């Protein structure tokens, strides 16, 4: 019986079509959903355009955008046409229907299914491969711009005698085109083969011929194109040998040809090119012969040749010709590598001289006088004293200083350059008393002021603290009047909305106030469309409807100097450390930027992230370009970012760099000429740290120019680990005003040390003139140590084992204080090396480091004293009163002594009183009181020593002629300088 119902459960239920109203609603919702998704995608593009326009670098955005679009369209369309055309051609060349085999019967179902949709399937496949290819090609915008705008280097490689620009700019583009050609050919070959199989042009199990003549000809042409491209690849591989990296025991990351490359691989590539070209002709010949016999034989010959000629033959040459006499065979190629590497990293003009490392004079007075002129010893370590800046100058919890401060030069009261430690009081979003959206983004918007301290002296309140030259809120001091508000800084990572109805928290001379941003930075939020775009881009809907946003409101983002320079110049590699400078009454962030390439022939490569890492990069400062491998680098651009309005300015620095010239052609008008740099800014420009670290790493091997010596590695160096830092890592370079042996005056320099590979003693000392205003800027000086001299690690070990240090550390126990070692400075002095290291204590009543001691080492003598002057006197065996803290006295000049019994008794009484106060402060502990008492004690002892009569055979410092105090104790005990505390005997000795 027919089923007249809906089954056993009842009648069939008819589902009617949705009503017109429902259909209209669904269509409306669908359209709105599509528009919403489109707006979300458009919001990112629109906000980027607004940002670039706000910083006046819209040309960078448009050039990059149109280049990407052009590459996407050209290569996407080309891929789609090539693949689609081959599918269409394979379908058109299909054989006529014939008796069906079982194979064809099973395929017929698929043919019938595809028949109504063939055009759409073809378009879909072509569009898919086109989109993928276009997206991949758009990522090559840098390669295209460098190819089309490339400027000649004016130097040729030693093997093929082509300009370096061919390898740096042209070869990468040719390789991209070759890769694209391979991809298009392989995809076309696969698509055509599948189409031929589907429509019977290729048969697997059917009887008769396996392929029709048309399919054979079509696929043979594609295979011929593939083999032709392989021939081109073999030809380009010849040039690629000049920039090929390989393992070689002479050095890591060897780049360029070696003996086996020049004498085996190079001829092999040429032979393989010829074989591949012949094989391609055989494939094309199948259009007439309709047989694959010869092409297959030719292809097999090419594969066999690639194995024998391209693989086995070079291995035989390496084994039987090179290895038995490798040094002699490789010497010419090592020389080429040395010359290219030294030129590519700009170390070819490094001045290397032998330096004994042993003092050339026994005159202690001369050594002491020379020490005053040798360097401006920076006892304020910018890597240590940031907590002191934080505690003494933070003022509010919502301000902060960077963990590592910067070293710069500013004029002192006498108009002389003074090494200065400087840091900006930036906004600390985590210190805001009450966190909410308004406070985070409207109320607390900026930091306030630059804090600076002398690098060579300490303050007195408390003793051992930084000697501030610019301090307070708002700041006052040597920097004069300047715009103190900091809207752009290294720690300012969140967006802020300023200039509208909501006021910002600010500070003026008479206390807390509110302010409203007056700069022209940021993007206007006055219209609803922009607000909606930023609400989507930042995933913050309140931007769209908040009443705190109105007329005049502007949104500030991309606020770190590194972010801003990277955005406006995406072709630059940015140094990991931007530093502030007060220039023309504004705070300017100075950012060093590099042009790089990895296509310099014969120059060995280095990974920037590894090379620029040191003991400070673990948690204190950024690393440049983490995994970027390069073999050419230039500090070609100096950039500034205004801390108030965020204005980015790019200045040409290296006027000869062809890579910079290439990018300036690609982005005209973005980089200003070097002559436009203001003189006041020039006074603060310096040699960048990351470039210096790259160069010093290369110089561990490439200071050697003799191929035989380079191959043996007998004079290889290494950058020592930082002996003063608990974190592992290389010793960081130090900015220091220093006088090298061939100089007549101190120069602001960047310095480092080397040790022989695998040994702890000192191998070399390196300094580069870091003052951009100097005619010798960038001059690298290397002192190769020719005798056995203590290295930094050995000096630190000696210091740790020093009796005075041990007693000082013992006295710290129970006071909840720790010892912190500052930068271990190395200074060449009269043929030897002087080491200076500030020592800080941290803990007790103050949780920030205060300078308590200074260690010095020269020759075999290591001392640990209360001040730099005392340490220098002691290490050179020179006595005399020290100049007061914060002052400098010409060498040999001493404070006029007070003499007589009354002066002696008063000095002894003062010393006993100061000692008692020191002991009492140590028990609490009260480090401020302790520091003051120690200073009073030292002053009293000096007065007591100076007041003693000289007719009893005692020296003016109170010691006998044999160096002992009158009570028979050693000079260290008598001076009260043992361990940071003074014993009663030291006062009685007066």
């Amino acid at each position: 019986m027919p089923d007249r119902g809906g089954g056993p459960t009842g009648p069939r239920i008819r589902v009617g079509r949705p009503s017109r109203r429902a259909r209209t609603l669904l269509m409306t919702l669908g359209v709105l959903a599509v528009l919403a998704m489109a707006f979300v995608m458009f919001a990112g593009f629109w906000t980027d355009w607004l940002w670039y326009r706000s910083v006046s670098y819209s040309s960078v955005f448009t050039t990059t955008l149109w280049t990407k679009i052009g590459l996407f369209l050209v290569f996407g369309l080309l891929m789609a046409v090539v693949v689609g055309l081959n599918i269409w051609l394979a379908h058109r060349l299909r054989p006529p229907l014939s008796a069906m085999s079982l194979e064809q019967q099973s395929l017929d179902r698929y043919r019938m299914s595809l028949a109504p949709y063939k055009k759409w399937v073809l378009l879909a496949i072509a569009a898919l491969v086109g989109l993928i290819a276009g997206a991949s090609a758009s990522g090559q915008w840098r390669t295209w711009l460098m190819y089309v705008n490339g400027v000649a280097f004016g130097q040729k490689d030693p093997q093929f005698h082509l300009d370096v620009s061919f390898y740096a700019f042209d070869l990468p583009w040719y390789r991209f085109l070759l890769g694209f050609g391979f991809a298009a050919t392989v995809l076309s070959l696969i698509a055509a083969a599948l189409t031929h199989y589907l429509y019977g042009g290729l048969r697997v199990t059917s009887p008769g011929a396996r392929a029709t003549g048309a399919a054979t000809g079509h696929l043979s042409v594609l295979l011929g194109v593939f083999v032709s491209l392989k021939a081109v690849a073999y030809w380009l591989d010849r040039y690629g040998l000049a920039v090929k990296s390989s393992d070689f025991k002479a050095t890591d990351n060897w780049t360029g040809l070696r003996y086996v490359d020049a004498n085996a691989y190079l001829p092999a590539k040429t032979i393989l090119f010829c074989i591949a070209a012949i094989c391609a002709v055989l494939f094309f010949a199948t259009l007439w012969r309709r047989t694959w016999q010869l092409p297959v034989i030719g292809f097999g010959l090419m594969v066999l040749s690639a194995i024998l000629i391209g693989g086995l033959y070079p291995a035989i040459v390496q084994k039987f010709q090179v290895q038995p006499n490798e040094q002699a065979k490789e010497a010419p190629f090592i020389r080429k590598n040395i010359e290219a590497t030294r030129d590519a990293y700009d170390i070819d003009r490094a001045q290397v001289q032998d330096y004994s490392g042993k003092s050339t004079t026994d005159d202690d007075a001369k050594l002491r006088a020379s020490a005053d002129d040798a360097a401006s010893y920076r006892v304020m370590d910018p890597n240590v004293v940031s907590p002191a800046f934080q505690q003494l100058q933070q003022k509010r919890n919502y301000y902060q200083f960077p963990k590592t401060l910067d070293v710069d030069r500013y004029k002192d009261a006498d108009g002389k350059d003074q090494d200065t430690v400087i840091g900006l009081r930036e906004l600390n979003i985590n210190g805001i008393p009450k966190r909410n959206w308004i406070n985070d983004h409207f109320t607390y918007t900026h930091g306030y002021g630059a804090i600076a301290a002398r690098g060579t002296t300490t303050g007195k309140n408390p003793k051992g603290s930084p000697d501030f030259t610019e301090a307070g809120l708002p700041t006052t001091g040597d920097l004069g009047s300047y715009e103190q508000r900091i809207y752009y800084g290294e720690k300012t990572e969140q967006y802020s909305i300023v200039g509208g109805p909501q006021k910002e928290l600010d500070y003026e001379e008479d206390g807390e106030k509110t302010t409203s941003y007056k700069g022209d930075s940021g993007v206007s939020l006055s219209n609803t469309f922009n607000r909606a775009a930023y609400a989507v881009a930042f995933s913050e809907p309140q931007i769209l409807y908040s009443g705190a946003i109105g007329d005049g409101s502007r949104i500030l983002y991309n606020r770190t100097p590194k972010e801003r320079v990277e955005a406006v110049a995406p072709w630059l590699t940015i140094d990991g450390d931007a530093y502030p400078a007060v220039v023309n009454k504004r705070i300017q962030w100075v950012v060093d930027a590099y042009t790089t390439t990895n296509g310099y022939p014969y120059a060995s490569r280095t990974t920037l992230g590894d090379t620029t890492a040191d003991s400070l990069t673990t948690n204190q400062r950024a690393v440049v370009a983490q995994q970027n491998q390069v073999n050419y680098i230039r500090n070609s651009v100096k950039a500034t970012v205004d801390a108030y309005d965020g204005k980015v300015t790019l200045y040409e620095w290296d006027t000869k760099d062809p890579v910079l010239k290439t990018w300036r052609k690609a982005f005209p008008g973005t980089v200003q000429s070097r002559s436009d740099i203001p003189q006041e800014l020039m006074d603060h420009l310096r040699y960048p740290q990351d470039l210096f670290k790259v160069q010093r790493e290369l110089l561990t091997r490439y200071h050697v120019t003799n191929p035989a010596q380079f191959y043996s590695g007998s004079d290889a160096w290494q950058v020592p680990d930082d002996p003063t830092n608990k974190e592992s890592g290389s010793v960081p370079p130090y900015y220091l005003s220093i006088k090298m042996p061939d100089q007549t005056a101190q120069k602001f320099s960047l310095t480092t040390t080397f040790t022989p590979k695998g040994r702890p003693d000192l191998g070399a000392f390196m300094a580069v003139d870091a003052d951009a205003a100097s005619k010798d800027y960038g001059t690298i000086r290397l002192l190769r140590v020719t005798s056995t001299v203590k290295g930094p690690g050995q000096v630190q070990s000696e210091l740790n084992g020093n009796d005075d240090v041990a007693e000082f550390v013992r006295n710290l126990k129970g006071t909840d204080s720790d010892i912190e070692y500052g930068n271990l400075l190395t200074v060449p002095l009269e043929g030897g090396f002087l080491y200076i290291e500030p020592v800080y204590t941290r803990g007790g009543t103050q949780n920030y480091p205060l300078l308590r001691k200074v260690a010095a080492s020269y020759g075999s003598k290591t001392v640990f004293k209360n001040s730099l002057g005392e340490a220098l006197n002691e290490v050179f065996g020179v006595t005399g009163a020290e100049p007061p803290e914060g002052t400098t006295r010409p060498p040999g000049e001493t404070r006029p002594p007070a003499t007589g019994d009354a002066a002696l008794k008063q000095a002894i009484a003062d010393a006993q009183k100061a000692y008692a106060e020191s002991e009492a402060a140590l028990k609490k502990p009260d480090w401020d009181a302790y520091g003051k008492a120690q200073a009073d004690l030292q002053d009293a002892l000096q007065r007591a020593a100076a007041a003693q009569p000289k007719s009893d055979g005692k020296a003016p410092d109170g010691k006998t002629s044999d160096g002992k105090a009158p009570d028979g104790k050693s000079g260290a005990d008598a001076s009260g300088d043992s361990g940071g505390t003074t014993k009663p005997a030291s006062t009685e000795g007066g």
Side-chain angles (χ1 to χ4, degrees):
M1 297 290 291
D3 182 8
R4 299 180 184 277
T9 58
R12 181 179 297 171
I13 300 175
R14 288 183 175 270
V15 179
R17 296 177 61 189
S19 65
R20 178 177 296 179
R21 179 178 297 179
R23 292 199 305 270
T24 303
L25 178 61
L26 289 174
M27 290 181 61
T28 302
L29 291 176
V31 171
L32 289 176
V34 171
L35 290 176
M37 288 188 291
F39 184 76
V40 169
M41 291 186 291
F42 178 75
F45 164 81
W46 182 246
T47 53
D48 284 346
W49 161 248
L50 291 175
W51 186 86
Y52 275 95
R53 191 174 65 176
S54 74
V55 295
S56 302
Y57 282 90
S58 55
S59 63
V60 174
F61 180 81
T62 54
T63 300
T64 305
L65 177 64
W66 287 117
T67 303
K68 289 180 178 179
I69 291 175
L71 292 172
F72 178 87
L73 292 176
V74 169
F75 287 95
L77 185 62
L78 184 60
M79 180 67 80
V81 168
V82 169
V83 174
L85 181 62
N86 278 280
I87 295 175
W88 174 83
L89 185 61
H91 177 266
R92 186 175 179 83
L93 296 175
R94 67 190 184 280
L97 292 176
S98 59
M100 289 287 187
S101 66
L102 292 177
E103 180 184 20
Q104 293 304 311
Q105 288 177 11
S106 63
L107 290 174
D108 193 50
R109 291 180 299 170
Y110 297 104
R111 289 194 287 264
M112 295 295 291
S113 300
L114 283 175
Y117 311 107
K118 285 190 292 187
K119 291 183 179 180
W120 293 109
V121 171
L122 175 61
L123 290 175
I125 293 174
L128 178 62
V129 297
L131 287 173
I132 296 173
S136 175
S138 66
Q140 298 294 321
W141 64 271
R142 290 181 176 87
T143 307
W144 164 252
L145 287 176
M146 294 181 78
Y147 169 73
V148 76
N149 295 287
V151 173
F153 276 67
Q155 293 174 276
K156 295 183 178 181
D157 77 282
Q159 182 67 41
F160 302 102
H161 308 292
L162 297 173
D163 192 89
V164 173
S165 61
F166 170 79
Y167 302 93
F169 306 141
D170 299 343
L171 188 58
W173 179 249
Y174 296 152
R175 282 175 164 168
F176 164 71
L177 291 179
L178 187 63
F180 179 84
F182 273 122
T185 303
V186 170
L187 288 174
S188 298
L189 188 60
I190 293 172
L194 289 174
T195 305
H196 280 298
Y197 176 71
L198 181 62
Y199 287 96
L202 292 177
R203 302 180 181 90
V204 177
T205 60
S206 300
R210 298 298 184 188
T212 64
T216 300
H218 183 196
L219 296 180
S220 294
V221 169
L222 289 176
L223 288 171
V225 172
F226 179 85
V227 177
S228 298
L229 291 174
K230 189 60 181 174
V232 176
Y234 282 134
W235 188 258
L236 288 182
D237 284 347
R238 298 170 67 255
Y239 302 109
L241 293 172
V243 289
K244 182 194 74 171
S245 291
S246 59
D247 296 329
F248 186 35
K249 70 178 182 179
T251 182
D252 296 331
N253 298 315
W254 170 275
T255 300
L257 286 84
R258 292 160 51 195
Y259 181 89
V260 69
D261 297 313
N263 295 278
Y265 280 111
L266 187 57
K269 296 292 184 182
T270 305
I271 294 172
L272 288 172
F273 163 76
C274 296
I275 293 174
I278 295 171
C279 187
V281 171
L282 294 176
F283 272 108
F284 291 134
T286 57
L287 286 172
W288 297 275
R289 292 180 56 84
R290 302 294 182 179
T291 176
W292 281 359
Q293 184 176 7
L294 285 178
V296 169
I297 293 174
F299 188 79
L301 176 63
M302 187 179 75
V303 173
L304 183 62
S305 300
I307 296 172
L308 296 178
I309 302 176
L312 184 59
Y313 175 62
I316 293 173
V317 171
Q318 178 67 26
K319 180 70 175 178
F320 296 101
Q321 289 190 33
V322 178
Q323 287 186 5
N325 192 18
E326 188 172 49
Q327 179 176 313
K329 295 288 187 183
E330 300 289 10
F333 303 94
I334 293 175
R335 184 180 300 279
K336 294 175 185 177
N337 176 267
I338 292 174
E339 292 174 353
T341 302
R342 288 170 61 88
D343 182 73
Y345 292 95
D346 203 21
I347 56 177
D348 54 322
R349 295 185 299 276
Q351 300 175 6
V352 183
Q353 67 179 91
D354 290 337
Y355 189 80
S356 69
K358 301 293 185 181
S359 178
T360 56
T361 178
D362 295 329
D363 189 339
D364 292 341
K366 180 181 178 181
L367 285 171
R368 178 63 181 89
S370 297
D372 284 337
D373 296 330
S376 294
Y377 304 97
R378 184 167 40 73
V379 293
M380 283 289 106
D381 185 353
N383 310 311
V384 174
V385 301
S386 178
F389 274 54
Q390 189 82 1
Q391 291 289 326
L392 299 174
Q393 294 298 327
Q394 180 189 23
K395 302 300 183 183
R396 301 292 186 272
N397 286 338
Y398 43 82
Y399 291 135
Q400 63 178 327
F401 291 92
K403 290 183 178 179
T404 298
L405 303 175
D406 289 291
V407 177
D408 202 347
R409 294 139 297 150
Y410 287 90
K411 302 292 185 183
D412 59 17
D414 297 327
K416 297 180 180 179
D417 283 340
Q418 165 74 39
D419 288 0
T420 302
V421 177
I422 187 170
L424 297 191
R425 188 192 283 122
E426 292 191 47
L427 181 67
N428 177 17
I429 194 75
N430 295 318
I432 295 176
K434 186 177 181 180
R435 298 290 302 277
N436 54 55
W437 188 65
I438 293 295
N439 278 347
D440 287 358
H441 300 289
F442 292 82
T443 305
Y444 296 88
T445 60
H446 58 278
Y448 211 102
I451 305 299
R454 292 186 178 89
T456 55
T457 61
T458 60
K460 296 183 179 180
N461 189 23
K463 182 177 174 59
S465 63
D467 184 7
F468 292 109
T469 58
E470 184 79 15
L473 181 62
T475 68
T476 57
D478 293 349
L479 300 183
S481 174
Y482 64 97
E483 174 56 66
Q484 298 194 15
R485 296 171 184 85
I486 303 164
Y487 284 88
Y488 294 88
E490 290 181 301
K491 301 296 182 181
T492 314
E493 298 176 347
Q494 76 286 352
Y495 70 88
S496 289
I497 299 176
V498 298
Q502 182 70 36
K503 297 297 183 181
E504 311 162 44
L505 188 65
D506 195 46
Y507 279 86
E508 293 290 351
E509 293 183 6
D510 52 351
E512 184 174 321
K513 285 187 176 182
T514 58
T515 188
S516 187
Y517 185 64
K518 300 298 190 300
D520 58 359
S521 182
V523 177
S524 173
L525 295 179
S526 297
N527 66 73
T528 305
F529 186 81
N530 284 1
R531 292 174 65 174
Y534 278 101
V536 171
F538 288 178
S539 302
E540 181 49 71
Q542 294 186 80
I543 295 178
L544 180 60
Y545 56 78
S546 174
I549 303 175
D551 290 340
S553 292
R554 309 178 73 85
I555 185 167
L556 312 181
Y557 62 104
N558 286 353
R559 298 171 70 183
T560 69
K562 189 174 187 290
E563 282 179 322
R564 296 182 77 78
V565 176
E566 280 179 332
V568 303
W571 37 273
L572 289 173
T573 299
I574 309 303
D575 190 272
D577 183 34
Y579 62 95
V582 178
V583 177
N584 295 325
K585 298 186 177 182
R586 305 283 285 224
I587 298 175
Q588 299 281 354
W589 288 100
V590 182
V591 183
D592 285 286
Y594 310 106
T595 47
T596 63
T597 180
N598 66 351
Y600 198 100
Y602 272 102
S604 290
R605 290 184 172 89
T606 186
T607 302
L608 292 182
D610 297 336
T611 308
T612 58
D614 58 34
S615 63
L616 300 179
T617 57
T618 52
N619 57 8
Q620 295 195 42
R621 65 184 296 265
V623 176
V624 58
Q626 190 67 33
Q627 296 302 321
N628 192 7
Q629 267 213 339
V630 305
N631 67 351
Y632 171 93
I633 186 170
R634 289 292 186 273
N635 177 212
S636 53
V637 171
K638 301 283 189 181
T640 62
V641 177
D642 192 291
Y644 182 73
D645 62 20
K647 180 181 179 181
V648 181
T649 308
L650 306 177
Y651 294 105
E652 175 191 33
W653 185 248
D654 191 328
T655 58
K656 299 179 180 179
D657 178 30
V659 182
L660 177 61
K661 291 178 180 178
T662 296
W663 286 118
R664 292 189 75 179
K665 282 181 63 179
F667 295 96
T670 57
V671 181
Q672 297 186 24
S673 298
R674 178 168 175 155
S675 59
D676 294 331
I677 300 177
Q679 183 58 47
E680 191 171 350
L681 174 61
M682 182 72 77
D683 292 339
H684 292 280
L685 298 182
R686 67 189 192 187
Y687 204 82
Q689 292 188 60
D690 284 336
L691 175 60
F692 182 81
K693 286 190 281 188
V694 170
Q695 290 174 324
R696 75 172 180 179
E697 184 64 34
L698 269 296
L699 281 168
T700 59
R701 293 302 306 268
Y702 287 92
H703 67 279
V704 176
T705 56
N706 180 276
Q709 190 179 15
F710 185 91
Y711 177 86
S712 68
S714 59
D715 194 24
W717 302 334
Q718 64 186 13
V719 179
D721 287 338
D722 186 357
T724 68
N725 200 311
K726 296 178 182 179
E727 302 287 344
S728 61
S730 302
V731 61
Y734 296 127
Y735 286 106
L736 187 68
S737 290
I738 192 173
K739 184 173 71 172
M740 292 292 281
D742 62 336
Q743 293 178 317
T744 58
Q746 295 178 16
K747 294 289 186 180
F748 186 68
S749 305
L750 194 53
T751 66
T752 192
T753 54
F754 299 100
T755 58
K757 196 170 184 63
R759 289 163 47 199
D761 48 299
L762 190 63
F765 177 82
M766 174 180 172
V768 61
D769 192 330
D771 184 358
S774 169
K775 63 180 179 63
D776 293 327
Y777 172 83
T779 300
I780 297 174
R781 293 177 172 84
L782 275 168
L783 303 180
R784 181 194 287 115
V785 180
T786 58
S787 59
T788 303
V789 179
K790 292 180 295 186
Q794 293 172 312
V795 171
Q796 188 65 47
S797 296
E798 282 191 10
L799 180 62
N800 293 340
N802 185 279
D803 291 340
D804 291 341
V805 175
E807 185 171 348
F808 182 73
V809 173
R810 281 196 301 271
N811 289 336
L812 289 178
K813 291 181 179 179
T815 63
D816 194 27
S817 298
D818 294 318
I819 188 172
E820 290 190 25
Y821 292 106
N823 39 218
L824 181 57
L825 304 176
T826 307
V827 177
L829 179 65
E830 297 291 342
F833 286 97
L834 172 66
Y835 291 94
I836 297 292
E837 182 174 19
V839 179
Y840 304 81
T841 60
R842 179 172 181 171
T845 57
Q846 102 286 335
N847 192 28
Y848 56 90
L850 293 177
L851 182 66
R852 295 301 185 192
K853 296 284 185 176
V854 176
S857 178
Y858 188 80
S860 60
K861 191 173 183 180
T862 300
V863 301
F864 187 68
K865 293 296 177 183
N866 287 329
S867 67
L868 173 63
E870 287 184 41
L872 291 176
N873 283 351
E874 182 69 18
V875 80
F876 296 120
V878 176
T879 60
E882 297 307 317
E885 282 291 329
T887 64
T888 302
R889 188 175 289 123
E893 182 181 338
T894 58
R895 183 185 303 174
T899 59
D901 291 342
L904 179 59
K905 291 179 181 180
Q906 182 62 48
I908 292 174
D910 291 343
Q912 291 172 334
K913 178 183 177 183
Y915 174 76
E917 292 174 349
S918 177
E919 289 292 294
L922 195 59
K923 290 178 181 179
K924 292 183 178 181
D926 183 346
W927 284 111
D928 293 341
Y930 176 76
K932 183 178 183 303
Q934 283 288 295
D936 293 340
L937 176 59
Q938 184 65 27
D939 181 71
L941 289 175
Q942 290 176 351
R943 287 189 283 113
Q948 292 185 86
K950 301 180 182 179
S951 58
D952 56 359
K954 297 172 184 173
D957 61 352
K959 299 177 185 177
T960 60
S961 59
D962 61 358
K964 295 184 179 181
D967 60 354
K969 296 187 180 292
S970 68
D973 292 333
S975 66
D977 191 38
S978 179
T981 59
T982 308
K983 301 178 181 179
S986 66
T987 58
E988 295 170 359

